[in-house]
Amino acid sequence: MAAPKSCALWSYCGRGWSQAMWGGQLLGLRSSWPGTPLSARLLSQEKRATETHFGFETVPEEEKGGKVYQVFESVAKKYDVMNDMMSLGIHRVWKDLLLWKMRPLPGTQLLDVAGGTGDIAFRFLNYVQSHHQSKQKRQLRAQQNLSWEEIAKKYQNEEDSLGGSRVMVCDINKEMLKVGKQKALAQGYRAGLAWVLGDAEELPFDDDKFDIYTIAFGIRNVTHIDQALQEAHRVLKPGGQFLCLEFSQVNNPLISRLYDLYSFQVIPVLGEVIAGDWKSYQYLVESIRRFPSQEEFKEMIEDAGFHKVTYESLTSGIVAIHSGFKL
Ligand SMILES: COc1cc(O)cc(C/C=C(\C)CC/C=C(\C)CC/C=C(\C)CC/C=C(\C)CC/C=C(\C)CC/C=C(\C)CC/C=C(\C)CC/C=C(\C)CC/C=C(\C)CCC=C(C)C)c1O
Ligand SMILES: C[S@@+](CC[C@H](N)C(=O)[O-])C[C@H]1O[C@@H](n2cnc3c(N)ncnc32)[C@H](O)[C@@H]1O
């Protein structure tokens, strides 16, 4: 595996360890195993406290980042086609709905974390461009005395066609970003778009920098979700919005049974047949089941300091869009 050499991965391992030490001490105070020396008890509890989940597997915290990296390195090239096949295109509707909920204003600075192959960023650029163009058309119609040269000039300026809006795609995985950049090139996205390698738990940006932070199908894969939420809060400007699209909890028992059947019996098979990768798609469905419910995740967002936290369940709760504001 080509694990990222950036210090980001090392430093979050570092933080994971110190958090675990803290957790271990807390557990140590509460525990009461007779006959075991204190040092041994603390050591064993520290060890347990550094464990986390990778799907249904229990792994040491410091190993999760590398395992997640391997998954997305392995699926990167087939990622987009897999999503269309597995969801019968429904993931496109969910992503469109995220944009409709966002309703970016002219000049919006968006940070799309775990942005992968750029689906959210491209939708953002389409949205701001089409809204800016209709506004421009209205203005041009109002200015009857402009020459054709002046009109043509207005349409030619690519940067201007976005009304000052920009999107930064940030992802920890080089291969996902590589596919995203190739897609951008092929589909003609250039202006207002930047790609950066970075960890959601330790974002390489200053405080109070972005108007909107999005994370779509990304936060489930992060080792310390609370840390990623705090980072989201830090980099947003006051008044900025946090938006997260993620798998959630199905609220209808019949659909839930069908959903389980489809998830566990069909998805890994599709993963194997289309991407030659059963394990990564087994991880996908397991990680979905491990992710907190709508209400639990709402609380976590509030704990990170966000206000006016709400969510909307889509497709019977298969996914949900969470929103919060930094005040
Ligand atoms: C490695 O990590 C990852 C890799 C990735 O490629 C992607 C992600 C992140 C995910 C996204 C970006 C989103 C796109 C990906 C997905 C939606 C895949 C995950 C899918 C699920 C967890 C299952 C839910 C899927 C859907 C709601 C999409 C619609 C699918 C269907 C309606 C299935 C229809 C298929 C058949 C009828 C084929 C035959 C199936 C069987 C024999 C099995 C039994 C199935 C049924 C009885 C019907 C299936 C019923 C449901 C799925 C429930 C339907 C519920 C409603 C209509 C409300 C990543 O992290
Ligand atoms: C399922 S993909 C989602 C991609 C895209 N947002 C979409 O909706 O199609 C999950 C992405 O999260 C990224 N990721 C996982 N852990 C991360 C972390 N700690 N920091 C940043 N990105 C991460 C993966 O590399 C992958 O590209």
Side-chain angles (χ1 to χ4, degrees):
M1 188 216 33
K5 288 187 189 75
S6 77
C7 60
L9 210 93
W10 280 110
S11 50
Y12 84 62
C13 292
R15 185 169 45 245
W17 178 244
S18 63
Q19 280 185 348
M21 292 289 279
W22 172 235
Q25 278 165 10
L26 279 179
L27 280 170
L29 286 173
R30 274 191 244 126
S31 119
S32 58
W33 298 335
T36 318
L38 181 68
S39 57
R41 266 164 25 206
L42 285 176
L43 209 77
S44 128
Q45 287 157 9
E46 264 166 27
K47 198 164 161 247
R48 269 196 312 169
T50 59
E51 284 173 343
T52 186
H53 297 286
F54 174 75
F56 290 168
E57 221 183 301
T58 302
V59 297
E61 256 188 357
E62 56 271 28
E63 280 179 20
K64 176 161 173 171
K67 281 179 171 285
V68 168
Y69 192 91
Q70 261 181 326
V71 163
F72 289 101
E73 185 183 47
S74 159
V75 305
K77 288 200 181 84
K78 295 278 180 175
Y79 178 79
D80 291 316
V81 69
M82 274 302 293
N83 290 347
D84 281 338
M85 300 288 282
M86 289 186 302
S87 74
L88 304 179
I90 295 172
H91 76 105
R92 292 172 181 252
V93 179
W94 295 332
K95 289 169 180 169
D96 287 344
L97 287 169
L98 181 72
L99 256 295
W100 283 104
K101 198 159 177 80
M102 186 191 303
R103 289 182 194 285
L105 295 169
T108 294
Q109 307 300 299
L110 168 67
L111 173 63
D112 182 38
V113 175
T117 60
D119 273 6
I120 303 302
F122 302 153
R123 275 170 174 76
F124 172 79
L125 292 174
N126 292 343
Y127 185 103
V128 293
Q129 190 165 37
S130 77
H131 279 70
H132 188 67
Q133 274 174 0
S134 16
K135 193 176 145 199
Q136 231 178 9
K137 270 188 199 153
R138 279 198 304 275
Q139 282 172 348
L140 285 173
R141 270 193 221 113
Q143 294 174 303
Q144 297 284 347
N145 51 356
L146 283 183
S147 70
W148 282 113
E149 286 88 347
E150 284 171 315
I151 293 172
K153 214 169 153 194
K154 280 210 177 281
Y155 277 98
Q156 273 161 11
N157 188 341
E158 261 190 285
E159 288 285 345
D160 190 47
S161 75
L162 300 171
S165 297
R166 278 183 303 185
V167 53
M168 176 83 75
V169 180
C170 173
D171 199 287
I172 205 164
N173 195 295
K174 268 197 288 190
E175 297 308 313
M176 291 292 281
L177 289 180
K178 195 167 142 192
V179 175
K181 285 183 206 168
Q182 284 164 354
K183 247 169 78 180
L185 211 64
Q187 295 176 19
Y189 294 103
R190 266 188 316 169
L193 174 65
W195 305 84
V196 62
L197 196 65
D199 185 348
E201 292 191 35
E202 199 168 4
L203 292 171
F205 307 110
D206 294 339
D207 299 359
D208 305 338
K209 203 167 160 41
F210 297 95
D211 300 297
I212 302 183
Y213 171 111
T214 48
I215 184 159
F217 303 108
I219 205 146
R220 186 173 28 89
N221 302 294
V222 165
T223 309
H224 305 102
I225 294 176
D226 52 350
Q227 180 60 33
L229 292 172
Q230 280 168 29
E231 278 291 89
H233 191 269
R234 181 183 66 76
V235 299
L236 276 171
K237 293 177 188 167
Q241 186 176 17
F242 166 85
L243 281 166
C244 173
L245 169 62
E246 190 48 270
F247 287 104
S248 207
Q249 234 168 59
V250 175
N251 41 38
N252 174 314
L254 176 67
I255 289 180
S256 178
R257 265 206 292 279
L258 292 173
Y259 178 55
D260 276 350
L261 204 60
Y262 182 69
S263 298
F264 289 98
Q265 306 303 322
V266 179
I267 300 259
V269 178
L270 286 179
E272 180 61 37
V273 172
I274 301 165
D277 188 344
W278 177 293
K279 270 191 174 171
S280 294
Y281 285 90
Q282 184 75 30
Y283 162 71
L284 164 64
V285 292
E286 290 180 0
S287 67
I288 292 172
R289 293 309 181 282
R290 279 252 165 244
F291 194 69
S293 69
Q294 287 88 332
E295 279 297 320
E296 286 163 341
F297 190 47
K298 177 175 185 264
E299 261 183 47
M300 292 173 76
I301 298 168
E302 283 167 343
D303 287 347
F306 287 100
H307 295 262
K308 293 181 178 292
V309 179
T310 55
Y311 63 82
E312 192 181 340
S313 297
L314 309 174
T315 325
S316 300
I318 289 181
V319 299
I321 296 178
H322 287 260
S323 161
F325 291 86
K326 173 170 171 177
L327 297 184

